[in-house]
């Protein structure tokens, strides 16, 4: 008899987007003439930058020629892309990450989800609340949690975000070996300062812990004081891994390309206290279970680092950030306290009432779909997430409708 991994039985059904879809469908059925605006999605809406498209097409054409055809590529990614990453994303900020420290992949979701398998099941895990659910569910699947109690699992440590800490919880009171951090944050849009990240790096150095730093929204940072990489923090190269993605940066959600950075100086230990290179461990895992990102896609990603590519990506980010500033302004004018929307495409709004109640009210009165904060964890109750990934036209229309609904 083939038996299942019993840990899967502990997983809570992910109700959030299913429940949203259900309520939206019911509303549309009752109001067939209303055009619904979706401000809840965590997906981009604008097409790929021209420079990426051109390189993508060129890559495909190369596959058509006997001489230029490419079969399996290097598992870690082509040198041309890893070199461009090292120079443009790290050396330009004074961070000495090399092409060797970089592993190109098909997504930060897979990488943040898979990385935990390098570690012992006895590792104590610290997870943010509210949270991107991938960090939680993959550790449940691996067997690092107990059973679910409400929206939480026994055995995990939850780092609680609140307005008091600006949704940037510190290491005080945490006793963990594996620590998940995400800045700029999904869903709260909060960003961490150098001082705040330094506290986590110091904690990890002192306790021989490891930080898994998800920087999927790094490109949305505009404040020059906010670090783009955990490796801008002294000591982080010994205790951190960073996940980056082209999904939100350059509209690659459907194209698929991301990368993970593991500095050569980052070490971990076995039960006897012997030291291991984390880069070697991940290399062993990655080259066993992954066969590389397609060549045309890596060509398209490398085009992000050309002069045209940089300008076009900036235009894309500026477009969404203009949306974010409109949303933030309107929500503040409506009297709500908000997080995010400045260095992040998400605006996290304290509605002062139940998340689903707000969701229903805005759907019914304004025909706008938001994301209930409670779907991201118990600390999200009372909040809603508004996404800036939409057309300017839709954002303006949605904000008008919401403002009117709030007054009625
Ligand atoms: C969108 C997102 C990612 C990126 O995932 P991909 O698999 O690269 O598309 C990673 N982390 C967070 C928090 C995200 O919101």
């Amino acid at each position: 008899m083939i038996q299942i991994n019993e840990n899967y039985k502990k997983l809570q059904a992910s109700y959030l987007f299913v429940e949203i879809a259900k309520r939206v469908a019911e509303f549309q059925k009752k109001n067939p003439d209303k055009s619904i605006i979706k401000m809840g999605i965590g997906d981009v809406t604008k097409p790929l930058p021209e420079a990426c498209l051109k390189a993508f097409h060129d890559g495909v054409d190369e596959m058509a020629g006997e001489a230029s055809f490419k079969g399996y590529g290097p598992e870690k990614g082509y040198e041309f892309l890893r070199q461009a990453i090292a120079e443009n994303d790290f050396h330009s900020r004074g961070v000495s990450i090399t092409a060797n420290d970089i592993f190109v992949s098909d997504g930060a979701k897979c990488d943040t989800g898979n990385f935990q398998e390098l570690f012992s099941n006895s590792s104590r895990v610290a997870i943010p609340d509210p949270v991107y659910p991938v960090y939680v569910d993959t550790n449940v699947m691996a067997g690092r949690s107990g059973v679910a109690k409400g929206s939480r699992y026994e055995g995990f440590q939850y780092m609680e975000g609140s307005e008091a800490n600006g949704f940037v919880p510190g290491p005080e009171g945490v006793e963990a070996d594996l620590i998940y951090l995400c800045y700029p944050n999904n869903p709260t849009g909060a960003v961490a300062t150098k001082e705040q990240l330094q506290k986590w790096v110091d904690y990890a150095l002192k306790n021989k812990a490891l930080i898994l730093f998800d920087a999927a929204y790094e490109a949305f940072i505009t404040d020059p004081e906010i670090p783009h990489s955990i490796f801008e923090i002294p000591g982080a190269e010994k205790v951190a891994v960073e996940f980056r993605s082209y999904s939100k940066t350059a509209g690659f959600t459907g194209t698929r390309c991301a990368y993970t950075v593991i500095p050569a100086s980052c070490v971990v230990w076995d039960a006897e206290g012997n030291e291991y290179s984390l880069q070697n461990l991940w290399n062993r895992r990655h080259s066993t279970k992954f066969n590389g990102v397609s060549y045309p896609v890596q060509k398209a990603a490398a085009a992000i680092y050309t002069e045209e590519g940089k300008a076009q990506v900036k235009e894309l980010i500026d477009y969404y950030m203009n949306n974010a500033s409109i949303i933030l302004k309107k929500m503040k004018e409506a009297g709500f306290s908000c997080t995010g929307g400045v260095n992040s495409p998400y605006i996290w709004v304290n509605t002062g009432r139940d998340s689903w109640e707000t969701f229903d009210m805005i759907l019914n009165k304004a025909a706008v779909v938001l994301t209930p904060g409670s779907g991201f964890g118990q600390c999200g109750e009372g909040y809603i997430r508004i996404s800036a990934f939409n057309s300017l036209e839709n954002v303006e229309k949605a904000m008008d409708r919401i403002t009117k609904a709030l007054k009625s």
Side-chain angles (χ1 to χ4, degrees):
M1 180 180 66
I2 177 71
Q3 288 191 19
I4 65 160
N5 172 350
E6 296 282 329
N7 296 312
Y8 275 62
K9 289 178 14 189
K10 297 179 199 158
L11 286 168
Q12 301 275 70
S14 169
Y15 291 116
L16 182 61
F17 290 98
V18 178
E19 186 60 29
I20 291 174
K22 193 179 124 219
R23 294 189 191 203
V24 172
E26 275 166 19
F27 173 81
Q28 188 76 87
K29 209 172 153 199
K30 279 190 219 145
N31 305 276
D33 53 316
K34 288 258 169 72
S35 83
I36 298 173
I37 303 176
K38 294 186 174 155
M39 303 292 289
I41 41 170
D43 195 357
V44 295
T45 55
K46 290 185 82 67
L48 292 178
E50 277 294 321
C52 297
L53 275 176
K54 164 133 198 340
F56 206 168
H57 280 291
D58 289 350
V60 172
D61 287 342
E62 282 181 62
M63 295 307 240
E66 291 269 350
S68 53
F69 169 78
K70 301 275 189 299
Y72 288 124
E75 288 111 344
K76 281 180 81 165
Y78 283 98
E79 178 78 19
F80 66 79
L81 178 55
R82 290 186 294 115
Q83 199 59 47
I85 292 169
E87 281 164 21
N88 292 280
D89 287 343
F90 296 98
H91 300 173
S92 68
R93 299 191 183 280
V95 176
S96 57
I97 290 297
T98 68
N100 238 352
D101 303 335
I102 294 161
F103 295 77
V104 175
S105 79
D106 60 352
K109 183 184 198 174
C110 329
D111 288 349
T112 54
N114 289 328
F115 213 83
Q116 49 73 30
E117 74 175 66
L118 298 186
F119 309 108
S120 149
N121 262 21
S122 64
S123 307
R124 299 163 302 170
V125 183
I127 285 167
D129 181 356
V131 69
Y132 178 61
V134 175
Y135 320 147
V136 182
D137 290 1
T138 52
N139 276 288
V140 173
M141 290 169 177
R144 284 190 197 89
S145 77
V147 295
K149 285 263 163 77
S151 66
R152 291 188 166 183
Y153 292 91
E154 285 185 338
F156 290 155
Q157 290 180 54
Y158 289 89
M159 304 177 278
E160 299 195 338
S162 65
E163 273 171 38
N165 61 27
F167 291 94
V168 186
E172 301 78 20
V174 171
E175 288 181 20
D177 307 301
L178 193 59
I179 299 158
Y180 289 83
L181 299 181
C182 174
Y183 296 109
N185 189 265
N186 178 11
T188 69
V191 286
T193 62
K194 286 193 174 136
E195 295 71 28
Q196 287 167 324
L197 291 180
Q198 186 71 62
K199 282 190 188 164
W200 279 111
V201 168
D202 291 345
Y203 174 91
L205 285 165
K206 184 164 169 235
N207 297 284
K208 295 188 163 178
L210 183 74
I211 296 169
L212 299 185
F213 191 77
D214 185 343
Y217 295 93
E218 160 278 333
F220 295 85
I221 295 173
T222 46
D223 182 341
E225 293 301 310
I226 298 296
H228 287 242
S229 167
I230 186 95
F231 302 119
E232 291 178 53
I233 311 302
E237 68 286 352
K238 297 197 179 80
V239 291
V241 173
E242 182 162 304
F243 304 96
R244 295 270 189 111
S245 171
Y246 299 114
S247 284
K248 319 301 170 13
T249 306
F252 271 57
T253 51
T255 304
R256 313 304 306 145
C257 197
Y259 66 88
T260 290
V261 186
I262 312 166
S265 50
C266 189
V267 293
V268 288
W269 296 269
D270 67 11
E272 284 77 49
N274 302 307
E275 212 171 87
Y276 291 79
S277 151
L278 185 58
Q279 192 182 91
N280 287 350
L281 277 180
W282 183 248
N283 191 47
R284 189 70 179 84
R285 190 268 172 209
H286 195 67
S287 55
T288 300
K289 296 194 178 183
F290 189 66
N291 243 340
V293 173
S294 94
Y295 172 73
V297 168
Q298 292 192 61
K299 286 268 288 188
I304 290 169
Y305 300 107
T306 61
E307 286 313 308
E308 311 92 282
K310 283 179 191 171
Q312 290 160 7
V313 163
K314 183 172 184 307
E315 205 177 306
L316 205 57
I317 301 278
D318 287 349
Y319 183 88
Y320 292 130
M321 288 313 290
N322 179 53
N323 288 348
S325 70
I326 292 170
I327 298 167
L328 181 62
K329 182 165 168 279
K330 292 287 178 189
M331 289 296 106
K332 280 187 169 167
E333 279 172 10
F336 298 115
S337 81
C338 303
T339 308
V342 181
N343 296 293
S344 148
Y346 297 122
I347 298 88
W348 184 245
V349 185
N350 185 346
T351 64
R353 58 168 139 176
D354 181 86
S355 293
W356 279 108
E357 210 179 282
T358 309
F359 172 89
D360 285 333
M361 193 271 282
I362 298 294
L363 177 61
N364 288 305
K365 287 191 179 172
V368 175
V369 182
L370 307 173
T371 315
S374 55
F376 298 103
Q378 85 183 36
C379 294
E381 181 54 271
Y383 293 82
I384 47 148
R385 188 192 75 177
I386 310 183
S387 156
F389 295 128
N390 217 317
S391 67
L392 173 60
E393 193 193 354
N394 274 347
V395 167
E396 287 177 331
K397 222 188 284 176
M399 288 303 116
D400 271 358
R401 290 196 203 165
I402 292 175
T403 311
K404 285 199 188 101
L406 289 168
K407 284 181 184 152
S408 69

